[in-house]
Amino acid sequence: METLKTVIFSWTPQLLLGARVTIGLTVTSVGAGLILSLFLALGKMSKNYVINKLSSAYVFFFRGTPLLMQLFFVYYALPMVAPVLTINNRFLAAFIAYTLNCAAYCAEIIRAAIQSIDKGQFEASRVLGLSYGQTMRLVIIPQSIRRLIPPVGNEFIMMLKDASLVSMIALVDITKATRNIEGSTRSALVYIPAMILYLIITAVFSYCFHKLEKKYSVYE
């Protein structure tokens, strides 16, 4: 038993380095994806035909194709389409693919949250002389934020687990670090601490989103 503990502790540094990549990729891509998704959501709600169709096509494409295939396309296929688009940095390639994918899903979340606000809010804003942009920025979006927390939290956790796909382009996250350790030690026991590490990270972020949800509850 003591030997097993020693072996597991010897794996910890590599797994923690992988965890740093997993968390960093998830936080940055979801953050950037949320910013892009706001414009996509407003685009889908726009009365401008071109903007509406382009935004809808974007959401349809990235929600309708596998994330792994999008990752492969960004890292492997883009250089073939145009050499100038070559991305040698694996983390940057993963960040771009995950951001584009996350934006499509969050756009639908934001659109639903905005449309859930009573239409009377729009009418009252117009009576007060606010423009459409001012209405969205000062009235509608602030009220929508509290409704976004639960679904965005779920999307974050999903992205956190889907970050394991980056091991397919040899980016060393938790999953890739685990496979490297298994390959060098020939011990499948490494999957136990790896899964525990995933559970700990997921539990921490789930707790944070739960606290935010309670603090900004719609019903309070």
Side-chain angles (χ1 to χ4, degrees):
M1 179 63 70
E2 190 63 33
T3 303
L4 178 59
K5 289 181 180 179
T6 302
V7 171
I8 291 177
F9 276 117
S10 70
W11 297 335
T12 302
Q14 294 181 63
L15 292 176
L16 290 180
L17 285 175
R20 185 173 66 177
V21 172
T22 297
I23 295 172
L25 176 63
T26 305
V27 171
T28 55
S29 59
V30 172
L34 278 172
I35 296 172
L36 178 57
S37 67
L38 176 59
F39 295 100
L40 288 170
L42 295 177
K44 286 199 67 175
M45 297 171 59
S46 174
K47 295 181 180 179
N48 184 294
Y49 180 83
V50 175
I51 293 177
N52 182 285
K53 292 304 179 182
L54 286 176
S55 299
S56 297
Y58 176 100
V59 172
F60 174 77
F61 176 81
F62 281 97
R63 282 168 58 93
T65 55
L67 176 56
L68 180 59
M69 191 169 293
Q70 295 165 18
L71 179 62
F72 283 161
F73 178 81
V74 170
Y75 190 66
Y76 293 116
L78 275 183
M80 297 181 182
V81 175
V84 71
L85 297 177
T86 300
I87 303 174
N88 294 318
N89 186 301
R90 292 184 177 89
F91 185 91
L92 179 59
F95 167 76
I96 292 173
Y98 278 63
T99 295
L100 295 176
N101 181 274
C102 179
Y105 283 91
C106 287
E108 289 296 278
I109 294 173
I110 292 176
R111 181 184 60 81
I114 290 175
Q115 292 182 334
S116 70
I117 303 299
D118 191 273
K119 292 183 178 180
Q121 299 283 343
F122 289 93
E123 297 170 358
S125 299
R126 296 304 293 269
V127 170
L128 292 173
L130 297 179
S131 66
Y132 176 79
Q134 290 174 321
T135 299
M136 296 302 296
R137 179 168 55 87
L138 301 175
V139 180
I140 304 302
I141 292 178
Q143 294 184 68
S144 302
I145 290 176
R146 62 180 59 184
R147 301 172 187 263
L148 295 174
I149 295 175
V152 168
N154 290 335
E155 176 64 17
F156 184 94
I157 298 302
M158 290 298 297
M159 291 296 289
L160 181 66
K161 291 184 288 186
D162 285 344
S164 61
L165 296 176
V166 300
S167 63
M168 301 302 292
I169 60 170
L171 181 60
V172 184
D173 68 322
I174 298 176
T175 300
K176 181 61 176 176
T178 303
R179 292 170 64 187
N180 288 344
I181 294 171
E182 182 193 18
S184 62
T185 64
R186 304 298 181 184
S187 176
L189 290 176
V190 67
Y191 287 102
I192 296 175
M195 288 190 293
I196 292 174
L197 184 56
Y198 268 117
L199 285 172
I200 292 172
I201 296 171
T202 300
V204 169
F205 281 106
S206 296
Y207 174 79
C208 292
F209 279 107
H210 178 67
K211 296 296 287 186
L212 283 174
E213 183 180 352
K214 288 187 65 177
K215 182 175 181 180
Y216 297 104
S217 175
V218 177
Y219 303 104
E220 290 184 354

